[in-house]
Amino acid sequence: MDVIVVGGGLMGTAAAYFLARRGVRVTLIERNRVGTGATVASFGNIRRTGRYLPQLPLAHRSRALWGEAEKMLGRDVEFRATGHVRLVFEEESLADMRAYVEAARPWGLDLEELGPEEIRARFPGLGPDAIAASFSPRDGCGNPRLIAPAFADAARRLGAEIVEEVAVGEIVRTGAGFEVTTSKGVFAAERLLNTAGAWGARIAARFGEEVPLVARGPQMGVTEPLPHRILPVVGIWTRQKSDGYLRQVERGNIVFGGAAERTEVPLDPGHAKADPTRLPAQLRAIVRLLPALAKVTVIRTWSGCEGYVADMLPIIGASGTTAGLFHAFGFCGHGFQLGPGVGDVMAELIATGATETPLHDFRIGRFAAAA
């Protein structure tokens, strides 16, 4: 075997697929079922607006792959380029939005500024009190329940081995590469890719690479079905904690999140639960974005275990201590859009030793340098 991938969320399954597409022999190991961790708990936002600027090349690469996903994977993963609008309600937030728009343009992200009349005309019912908005027409959303299984199945068709529901024990460096001891046997390969999400820091620490990461759970919810409108994904520019966001799925339900502190999640067993006391603040935030939701019934809430790095940037790239070891974890709740691009970049890096997509700011060694 050439590569073992530990962790079967979106990052891991995408990497397995792109590795297999390059002819690399790959085994993916997942302790549960693929895509049932942080990926399935995601809001499903495919957003480039507001990203850390040096992350935009990776986000652009990933957006292109989202557009190819149905053809590439052989099934509809419900990627829809509905556009992404972020509403502005305060003057200070308008200044923040305009500063970001100007800063992002050299990085290849062109955002349209909408005034109040344009918002009303193009998106009736959205943010009646908004004073402005940014609009990114090529962004949108995808289905978090479909994407990782689709990548895993496509990887399997290309010859990848997908091992699910397996407990992982020791992970050690050997003279020939790496050995991973599991409840289903010992797997060996020349290289190892750590895509273990909130558990990724534990794997890195085994090789002398400490990452300041905590596990937290976002809170998401979904309403009863409503008459379907082609809404963009809706968010907000704000310095407040009322950062709600929402989108409508094709069956009519409104999926929403934000406006609630993320809860701490113990990694053992790593089960995150929604907190009903946080729901009223979320509902106030989304009603501000779309007042028509004021009398709508919420039918379900949920959470998931995500890894948050101290500087809110992910770990992506080669190990700083161990040849043949690679990392892609700690996406701080912002990884869904990046997933296909991360998988493609890691496959390129592992297979060729280099990638044109800049990853310097996401290197794991940044914490050792600061120590």
Side-chain angles (χ1 to χ4, degrees), residues 126-172:
L126 280 188
D129 298 326
I131 62 173
S134 66
F135 184 56
S136 178
R138 295 185 62 250
D139 288 337
C141 56
N143 192 324
R145 295 181 176 275
L146 300 180
I147 187 64
F151 267 119
D153 287 348
R156 191 181 286 111
R157 291 194 298 272
L158 292 174
E161 182 180 11
I162 309 295
V163 184
E164 299 176 278
E165 298 180 305
V166 55
V168 176
E170 288 296 313
I171 302 176
V172 297

Side-chain angles (χ1 to χ4, degrees), residues 62-314:
S62 198
R63 170 57 186 83
L65 291 168
W66 275 108
E68 300 171 8
E70 183 172 355
K71 179 179 179 182
M72 184 170 63
L73 302 178
R75 70 173 75 168
D76 180 13
V77 293
E78 297 182 7
F79 166 68
R80 302 291 184 266
T82 58
H84 181 267
V85 63
R86 291 184 73 170
L87 300 172
V88 177
F89 294 92
E90 305 98 11
E91 289 293 337
E92 63 181 15
S93 300
L94 178 57
D96 292 343
M97 182 199 80
R98 287 174 171 167
Y100 185 84
V101 169
E102 287 302 312
R105 189 170 291 117
W107 291 89
L109 179 61
D110 289 317
L111 299 174
E112 183 181 356
E113 179 178 330
L114 306 181
E117 296 304 319
E118 291 171 292
I119 297 170
R120 316 292 181 259
R122 294 169 66 170
F123 308 114
L126 280 188
D129 298 326
I131 62 173
S134 66
F135 184 56
S136 178
R138 295 185 62 250
D139 288 337
C141 56
N143 192 324
R145 295 181 176 275
L146 300 180
I147 187 64
F151 267 119
D153 287 348
R156 191 181 286 111
R157 291 194 298 272
L158 292 174
E161 182 180 11
I162 309 295
V163 184
E164 299 176 278
E165 298 180 305
V166 55
V168 176
E170 288 296 313
I171 302 176
V172 297
R173 184 78 168 88
T174 68
F178 297 86
E179 284 188 354
V180 181
T181 301
T182 78
S183 57
K184 294 185 178 180
V186 177
F187 296 86
E190 296 175 9
R191 287 156 287 179
L192 179 77
L193 173 57
N194 168 20
T195 56
W199 292 265
R202 288 185 172 182
I203 294 176
R206 299 185 190 203
F207 298 94
E209 297 181 293
E210 298 292 334
V211 175
L213 179 147
V214 295
R216 298 194 184 280
Q219 181 153 306
M220 303 292 171
V222 63
T223 73
E224 63 184 320
L226 304 172
H228 185 253
R229 300 161 55 192
I230 301 176
L231 285 174
V233 178
V234 184
I236 184 173
W237 290 96
T238 183
R239 299 179 187 180
Q240 312 303 317
K241 292 185 178 181
S242 56
D243 61 336
Y245 42 86
L246 61 89
R247 66 184 181 93
Q248 187 174 35
V249 301
E250 290 178 11
R251 65 185 61 89
N253 310 73
I254 301 289
V255 181
F256 63 88
E261 291 290 336
R262 288 166 170 80
T263 57
E264 292 190 16
V265 181
L267 281 178
D268 299 310
H271 295 155
K273 296 181 180 180
D275 181 353
T277 66
R278 299 168 187 264
L279 185 58
Q282 289 189 294
L283 296 179
R284 286 192 294 271
I286 66 168
V287 166
R288 190 184 192 192
L289 303 179
L290 186 61
L293 298 178
K295 296 183 179 181
V296 171
T297 300
V298 175
I299 60 174
R300 186 168 67 92
T301 59
W302 67 92
S303 186
C305 184
E306 298 176 332
Y308 288 79
V309 182
D311 61 5
M312 290 298 289
L313 296 177

